[in-house]
Amino acid sequence: MHSIKQGFTFIAAIFIVLVITLLAITTSTFISSDAVIAVKNYHSQDAFYIASAGVEYYLKQLDGDDDWSSPPSQETKTFSDGVFTITTTDEQKNRITFTSTGLITVGATTYQRGIRVEIKGGGLPTAFDYGGYIANPGGETLNLRDQVHVQGDFYYNGPINMYNGADQTDGIIYSESIQIFDQATYVSWESAPEAEMPEWNNSYYDDILSMTSSTAAGALNKSTSATWNLDGGTYYYTDITISKGEVNGPGTLVATGNPSGNGDINMIDTGKIGSNVRLIAKGDVTFSNATSFGANLEVYAYGRFIDNNGRDIQENSVIYSKSSGEAIYLGDNTEVGSNTTLLAPYGKFEGGSGTKVYGLIYSNTTEVSGSFALYGAVVCYESGDFLNQTWIEYSPAYLAPDIEGFVSTSFEVSSWDEVY
């Protein structure tokens, strides 16, 4: 009996040893597998960090580049123990998608992770977040008098005096100081921080105006009622006068003043410009009498732009003058359609009585008469007083989303995802 018990004990011992051995092998296998997975995860994470470094690198390359349709070069760069590669798609002026792929090789194994980022330009400079933004380098006092109305935020780098029923609603007035007289009112005031005017780059407009250096065969004097379809063409003349009939776009008319003439464009009598027409002048551009114009008008002039007799400008138009004196003049009772941009970066913008602008004004100097109304934003270095029922209302819906010339100072990441 004793010998049988010993036999059972021996067999049980062997069984226990086998179980322990099996458990040891299994545990060792799991530990080994976990170690392999941990190593793979570690190196994969390294690849992800390298891809992230590529994202940071390329965002810095894009920062300050105001045209992403021709972005910084796609490239491969060494980082840490690996490399990242940048590729781009959907390249547009203010939008781009790029992918940063991080690679790291350990032994015979290469680990790869990718990050795709879509970014959009920051739009207009922050000065256009105000109904009026006036840098006022001379420190003069701005007078708002005689029922002037300001709606929305308003910035003036100097003292403001409000008189005779002038009022401000729905925002904050930022100025050096403010004084109230004769039943004037405002809802909120704060001390103005240092002025930060938008950075301006004129190269886009210089390229357009350089077309006036061409030599033209002679002047154009369109005085018949016939319709002229430009059919996408560009036509050069020394001077241009359109007094009757209609000129339809798309297309471009250039007044060169070369080899003779002034390079002026004159719209008089009943002349009509259709939609999508671009006018480029070495001299002045003048609209008078009963002339009329279609949407998406573009005017670029070395000289002045003069709109007499209340000739309305339709929506989505651009008026640019490089004049350092009187640059853009809108006569009494002119109406400027929504999303129109008026640019006089070196000269004066002047708006007549009863004129309404639904858009953006950017100028060196702004002067407006009584009952002038702006729905949008005005940004300038200097301004005359606002008098006699002038109305300044911040309306971002009437601002063009993208305007050539302003250097973008910010962008936003609109989407971010990992590429598998």
Side-chain angles (χ1 to χ4, degrees):
M1 187 71 174
H2 179 71
S3 130
I4 294 173
K5 286 183 179 180
Q6 283 184 332
F8 278 121
T9 302
F10 180 72
I11 292 171
I14 292 174
F15 179 75
I16 291 170
V17 170
L18 288 174
V19 169
I20 292 172
T21 302
L22 182 60
L23 287 173
I25 292 172
T26 303
T27 302
S28 175
T29 301
F30 283 144
I31 292 173
S32 176
S33 297
D34 287 346
V36 170
I37 293 171
V39 169
K40 287 183 177 179
N41 286 341
Y42 175 81
H43 294 308
S44 178
Q45 194 68 21
D46 276 349
F48 182 81
Y49 290 146
I50 292 169
S52 298
V55 170
E56 294 299 322
Y57 168 81
Y58 204 65
L59 287 175
K60 188 171 182 62
Q61 298 296 106
L62 293 171
D63 189 21
D65 186 340
D66 59 359
D67 186 357
W68 296 336
S69 61
S70 299
S73 60
Q74 305 179 39
E75 55 185 313
T76 298
K77 294 188 74 69
T78 300
F79 181 82
S80 187
D81 294 325
V83 298
F84 61 76
T85 299
I86 304 296
T87 57
T88 64
T89 58
D90 191 27
E91 301 92 345
Q92 300 181 37
K93 183 179 185 301
N94 283 316
R95 186 176 71 193
I96 190 170
T97 299
F98 71 89
T99 300
S100 173
T101 303
L103 297 169
I104 184 169
T105 300
V106 180
T109 305
T110 297
Y111 301 89
Q112 175 177 314
R113 300 283 289 274
I115 301 172
R116 180 172 53 224
V117 180
E118 180 183 344
I119 63 172
K120 297 180 180 179
L124 293 173
T126 55
F128 292 101
D129 293 338
Y130 300 77
Y133 193 97
I134 305 168
N136 186 34
E140 292 86 355
T141 298
L142 176 68
N143 294 306
L144 307 177
R145 64 170 73 240
D146 304 326
Q147 298 181 327
V148 166
H149 176 76
V150 175
Q151 186 168 327
D153 290 344
F154 187 89
Y155 175 94
Y156 185 77
N157 188 29
I160 290 180
N161 292 338
M162 298 179 69
Y163 300 89
N164 303 335
D167 75 311
Q168 177 261 343
T169 62
D170 298 333
I172 301 171
I173 291 179
Y174 298 88
S175 64
E176 180 183 304
S177 62
I178 190 165
Q179 295 192 65
I180 304 300
F181 306 93
D182 306 324
Q183 298 181 330
T185 61
Y186 65 91
V187 295
S188 184
W189 172 88
E190 293 183 15
S191 179
E194 184 178 351
E196 295 184 9
M197 287 294 284
E199 184 179 351
W200 177 259
N201 183 340
N202 206 66
S203 59
Y204 172 82
Y205 301 94
D206 288 335
D207 287 345
I208 293 174
L209 291 173
S210 68
M211 296 175 68
T212 62
S213 63
S214 299
T215 300
L220 169 68
N221 188 354
K222 187 180 184 312
S223 57
T224 67
S225 59
T227 296
W228 179 19
N229 295 315
L230 298 177
D231 294 326
T234 299
Y235 303 87
Y236 296 85
Y237 301 93
T238 54
D239 290 287
I240 297 172
T241 300
I242 300 173
S243 57
K244 289 183 180 179
E246 183 173 353
V247 178
N248 288 326
T252 302
L253 297 177
V254 184
T256 68
N258 184 20
S260 61
N262 298 315
D264 292 337
I265 298 177
N266 291 295
M267 295 290 300
I268 61 174
D269 298 336
T270 59
K272 182 177 181 180
I273 293 286
S275 299
N276 303 304
V277 174
R278 174 179 283 191
L279 305 176
I280 304 172
K282 185 73 171 182
D284 297 337
V285 177
T286 304
F287 295 169
S288 301
N289 306 121
T291 52
S292 60
F293 312 93
N296 306 305
L297 173 70
E298 297 180 39
V299 176
Y300 306 95
Y302 274 109
R304 299 168 297 169
F305 173 80
I306 304 167
D307 187 336
N308 293 316
N309 306 110
R311 299 299 88 208
D312 292 345
I313 299 170
Q314 304 303 316
E315 66 273 9
N316 302 313
S317 295
V318 176
I319 309 297
Y320 168 89
S321 167
K322 198 177 181 180
S323 171
S324 58
E326 295 180 356
I328 297 177
Y329 171 75
L330 303 181
D332 295 349
N333 301 312
T334 300
E335 184 164 316
V336 177
S338 62
N339 300 108
T340 289
T341 301
L342 305 172
L343 300 171
Y346 309 107
K348 179 195 288 188
F349 167 84
E350 186 174 355
S353 179
T355 288
K356 296 180 180 179
V357 174
Y358 296 86
L360 177 150
I361 300 168
Y362 176 69
S363 65
N364 185 68
T365 305
T366 296
E367 297 278 354
V368 298
S369 301
S371 300
F372 175 90
L374 169 68
Y375 303 89
V378 55
V379 175
C380 60
Y381 283 91
E382 299 178 359
S383 172
D385 294 337
F386 293 130
L387 310 172
N388 302 328
Q389 299 180 333
T390 293
W391 186 286
I392 306 294
E393 179 177 330
Y394 177 59
S395 299
Y398 293 129
L399 303 180
D402 178 36
I403 297 172
E404 296 287 352
F406 294 118
V407 178
S408 178
T409 57
S410 64
F411 54 80
E412 63 179 17
V413 176
S414 56
S415 70
W416 183 103
D417 62 329
E418 187 169 1
V419 181
Y420 296 96

